[in-house]
Amino acid sequence: VHYENLSSEFYALMKKYNIVVTLPPKDKGVYSDGNEARLSYQDLDPEAIELVNEFAKVDFEKFGYQMVEEKFDENYSLEAKVVE
């Protein structure tokens, strides 16, 4: 289950295993305040990006996420590549 597709992938997983569980609405979440600015990879300096890439390399590879190679890489996507 990938964060950016949490609802759809979560419910597909629950259906697959015949589990009746629901997620709370997004507006009830801990981080749902749309008035606050959020930190993104674009706010990080090159050293921080390198540290994140190094620390989470296995996770990026295992879960199909692309590492940010340059601060403003225009081809970067937050979407995971689904590996079947």
Side-chain angles (χ1 to χ4, degrees):
V1 176
H2 296 91
Y3 181 77
E4 65 273 10
N5 300 318
L6 183 60
S7 292
S8 62
E9 291 183 19
F10 176 82
Y11 288 118
L13 186 64
M14 296 302 101
K15 183 177 180 180
K16 178 179 179 177
Y17 291 102
N18 199 26
I19 299 172
V20 180
V21 176
T22 60
L23 293 172
K26 283 185 177 182
D27 62 346
K28 301 294 182 198
V30 176
Y31 303 106
S32 67
D33 188 353
N35 297 324
E36 294 183 25
R38 303 258 176 115
L39 180 68
S40 83
Y41 75 94
Q42 294 175 328
D43 297 309
L44 303 176
D45 61 31
E47 293 82 15
I49 291 171
E50 185 177 343
L51 284 171
V52 170
N53 285 341
E54 188 177 309
F55 178 80
K57 181 178 181 178
V58 173
D59 292 331
F60 281 116
E61 293 168 352
K62 190 170 202 161
F63 297 110
Y65 290 99
Q66 176 185 358
M67 287 191 273
V68 177
E69 299 297 334
E70 296 180 21
K71 186 171 181 177
F72 299 106
D73 185 352
E74 293 179 19
N75 297 320
Y76 182 76
S77 170
L78 291 174
E79 295 290 322
K81 295 179 181 80
V82 177
V83 179
E84 303 273 339

